Amino acid sequence: MSMHSEHPGERDALREKIIGLGETSLHKSYYPELQSRLAELERFRALLDQTHDAIFLIRAETGRLADVNASAKAYLGYSKKELLATPFADLISPSKQTQFSEFIRDNSNLPSESRQTFTAPLVSRSGTEIPMEITVRSVTFGAEQYVVAVARDITDRLHTERELRIKESALESSTNGILIADLTGAVMYANRSFAVMFGYEREAAIAGRNLEVFFADPTVGEKVTAHLLDNPAIVQETVGLRSNGSPFHIQISGSVVQNDAGQPLCIMLIVMDITERILTEQMKREAYTQLGKNIEQFAILGDHIRNPLQVIVGYAEMIDDPFAEKILEQSRRIDDLVTQLDRGWVDSANVRQFLRRHGDGAKPPGETFFRFSNWKEEDR
Amino acid sequence: MIQRSQLDLRKFVAPEFICGHGALHLAGRYARNFGMKQVLLVTDPGVRAAGWAGAVGESLTEAGVSFTVFDAISANPRSRQVMAGTEAYLAGECNGIVAVGGGSPMDCAKGIGIASSSMRDILTFEGVDRVPVPAPPLICIPTTAGSSADVSQFAIITDEGRKRKIAIVSKTLVPDISLLDPEPLTTMPRELTVDTGMDTLSHAIEAYVSNASSPMTDVHALEAIRLIASALPAAMAEPDDLNLRFSTLLASLHAGLAFSNASLGAVHAMAHSLGGAYDLAHGRCNALLLEHVMAANYDAASGRYDRIGEILGQGRETPAEGAAAFRRSLGITETLAEVGVREDAIPALAAAAYDDPCMVTNPRSLACEEVERIYEYAL
């Protein structure tokens, strides 16, 4: 406090303050501070009342409630006066009361900074049981010990957890392999079927690996990821690679998992082992090829039969012999049989065509059409 | 000089106090009544060694009040000591202060109170009415008769950085109750009795001639001068006489009530400057300056000084000479130079004294050069 630069007016003002006549030259009074603290407490009380959690202040010695916030009243449907006349344990579901009392007893000597959590339903005035997670903490005000219990309604959480568990079970029990990876291709989750399909003992051994290790062509994973960033889905057949290095045929169906704002979060691949189908198709293709070859051989065989048969018929017509007619008759029977075989080939070709049209998947690499000499357009 | 009228506005603030033999033992009762659960018992090593802090501690214990002792306090208490006490107060989760000792522990206790309630450094409170949050309840038990910190609105703290004393002036510094017991005075050494007694006399004289004096403060100031003039020499002769010691305690109480409301003057402004620079006993500084300031101020309040001269007697021509004779009779015969003050230090001392808030109520408005001359006379 310097007086060198002070004007006489300021000096007079200083003197007024020294002799107790300044604006704030007041004797010690805690009342303004008390009012300030009370206002602070009221603001704090309003905050506590706004919270969704039910807050209970419990007298440690008697177990009776010393104070509650507005949410406690709202949840339980009691007035504050009613609650303050009730032991807190009476608000706990009867099925958990004994357990809760033991919990409080076991934790009553814990240091004040220690919080313990107990899950139990609270019973409202109407008898409804509200599942609550109750966090308790021991505090001391003055010489009296209290327990602060903050009860959080976990109805929605339990419901959500149940739904999540169902979804998790569904993923886990799917016969298809399911794999979730982040946008860089790092695996976040793989279900048991995926692990089994790719020869891993545990799902956990897969997490963190990159997609590329699951394909015979390491670039497939990157291509799938890139495709999904621009497209909503992909279905592709490719060759997978087991952990022991053996390849197998797979079909992958991929999609992007997005958040509510439509931003991509991760990708999900559903993987099916199609080795059996591919092998079956291959066997079919081979069977058809063999069938074609057989038919072709059969057609050639017909021609090979008819040519000497024509010679036999020619010679038989030229000779005058009572057996000639027998020879011709038998030759015609042979020709009829060959003609029936030709018709059978046409029927076989038609059946093959039908199968092709209706997608049996056994389309041969190259089509071969066989023509017999007496093959007629109407036979087609 | 400020013209005075009995119609001028005046305020009189006094704490609750209990005086008499055994007052000290009521500490526990009042601590409990103030709601104190954990007390910071502020004292100094000398008072603790004399057993008075222990006696107060027993009283607190009997009342069921816990306490922590803080005694790291020197004469002319330092700001660092105040802040150390503040840390002890906060660490001990205290909710009240009991000060046992002379002016140093009591001023330090006041500082601890306001620093802890406002959570600020003590030096930031320098000046008048700069305490926004009241300190926790404070019980003062003086063991000297002179500082009157037990009833005053002042706390004087040494700013070690600037080597000067700062004055914190606020009505909120007035203790909640003071317990005035003559018994602790019996263990005061002779020199301390003299210095604190001269502090009482200086308080009373400066309050009486203050430009803010009032009929109420005049009553207390004159009674203090009368009591100290007779009781102090007698108490020095018979230091174990409780009645004489009680008279000096009453003198200090009257002086405190007077100066806490009328404030002080150039003697204290200059003594604060001296004490800050040379770490001299406050009462001794007052004693060496008093007669010189009285002479310098005489024309501004001659009637009042004459009244003082009449009380001091000593058969001298002027009141200042009367005061000088009184201190010499108590054995204070040295000069400022003899206690180590150098002439070349006077301008700085004068500048600091001129800045002191006590100067505002000096009966005469002194220029800085005039303050220098007073120091020169006292050399």
Side-chain angles (χ1 to χ4, degrees), chain A residues 8 24 41 49 53 75 112 143 148-149 177 199 218 254-255 279 291-292 332 342:
Chain A
T24 56
L41 278 176
D49 284 344
D53 292 342
Y75 272 119
S112 61
V148 176
S255 59
L279 289 177
L291 183 63
R332 279 193 292 275
D342 278 349

Side-chain angles (χ1 to χ4, degrees), chain B residues 72-212:
Chain B
I73 298 171
S74 63
N76 299 317
R78 277 72 164 153
S79 57
R80 194 175 59 231
Q81 293 168 339
V82 173
M83 295 317 294
T86 302
E87 277 184 31
Y89 181 89
L90 296 173
E93 297 184 349
C94 301
N95 67 341
I97 300 174
V98 176
V100 189
S104 296
M106 288 192 283
D107 279 356
C108 193
K110 290 177 178 179
I112 291 169
I114 58 175
S116 60
S117 63
S118 294
M119 303 295 281
R120 279 166 43 190
D121 189 274
I122 188 63
L123 296 176
T124 64
F125 295 98
E126 181 182 4
V128 186
D129 291 345
R130 299 187 66 188
V131 180
V133 182
L138 172 64
I139 298 174
C140 282
I141 303 162
T143 59
T144 65
S147 76
S148 301
D150 44 291
V151 291
S152 81
Q153 60 164 336
F154 289 77
I156 308 298
I157 305 295
T158 299
D159 176 352
E160 296 146 296
R162 292 185 292 168
K163 285 199 167 182
R164 59 184 289 261
K165 287 185 173 183
I166 64 158
I168 301 170
V169 186
S170 169
K171 299 292 178 196
T172 67
L173 292 180
V174 176
D176 294 85
I177 190 165
S178 292
L179 305 175
L180 310 176
D181 192 328
E183 195 172 6
L185 306 188
T186 58
T187 55
M188 272 201 295
R190 178 185 173 85
E191 195 168 66
L192 187 57
T193 301
V194 172
D195 287 342
T196 53
M198 284 305 294
D199 196 15
T200 295
L201 181 64
S202 304
H203 287 153
I205 292 174
E206 292 219 279
Y208 186 58
V209 300
S210 161
N211 63 34

Side-chain angles (χ1 to χ4, degrees), chain A residues 189-222:
Chain A
Y189 166 81
N191 71 351
R192 176 170 294 280
S193 295
F194 187 95
V196 170
M197 194 183 294
F198 282 80
Y200 291 90
E201 287 187 4
R202 291 176 298 110
E203 300 99 296
I206 298 173
R209 292 170 184 267
N210 194 280
L211 278 181
E212 64 184 10
V213 303
F214 304 110
F215 299 104
D217 176 359
T219 64
V220 170
E222 192 179 338

Side-chain angles (χ1 to χ4, degrees), chain A residues 263-320:
Chain A
Q263 294 166 323
L265 295 176
C266 56
I267 61 172
M268 184 171 82
L269 302 181
I270 298 173
V271 184
M272 285 187 290
D273 184 346
I274 56 170
T275 304
E276 195 174 337
R277 197 196 81 202
I278 293 292
L279 289 177
T280 303
E281 285 173 359
Q282 193 174 337
M283 285 171 63
K284 281 181 183 173
R285 275 197 303 276
E286 288 171 1
Y288 276 98
T289 303
Q290 190 58 46
L291 183 63
K293 282 180 183 172
N294 290 347
I295 291 171
E296 187 181 5
Q297 288 296 322
F298 207 64
I300 293 167
L301 186 61
D303 286 347
H304 287 179
I305 293 170
R306 277 200 180 94
N307 288 339
L309 193 61
Q310 290 290 344
V311 173
I312 292 169
V313 169
Y315 280 118
E317 284 176 347
M318 285 189 293
I319 64 172
D320 185 16

Side-chain angles (χ1 to χ4, degrees), chain A residues 352-353 356 363-369:
Chain A
R352 194 176 58 176
Q353 198 69 11
R356 251 186 226 136
K363 196 173 189 179
E367 286 184 308
T368 306
F369 293 97

Side-chain angles (χ1 to χ4, degrees), chain A residues 1-4 11-12 14-30 33 37 142, chain B residues 2 9-11 13 126 128-129 134-137 153 171-172 176 211-212 261 263 351 354-357 359-360:
Chain A
M1 181 180 50
S2 170
M3 298 192 304
H4 277 304
R11 194 181 172 97
D12 289 345
L14 181 62
R15 178 178 172 276
E16 289 291 291
K17 289 199 283 186
I18 289 173
I19 67 174
L21 297 174
E23 281 287 332
T24 56
S25 302
L26 301 172
H27 192 32
K28 185 197 279 185
S29 170
Y30 298 116
E33 184 66 13
R37 296 289 172 94
Chain B
I2 294 176
L9 288 174
R10 290 291 185 267
K11 181 154 80 177
V13 175
E126 181 182 4
V128 186
D129 291 345
Q153 60 164 336
K171 299 292 178 196
T172 67
D176 294 85
N211 63 34
N261 292 284
S263 193
Y354 185 76
D355 267 353
D356 193 284
M359 199 62 94
V360 175

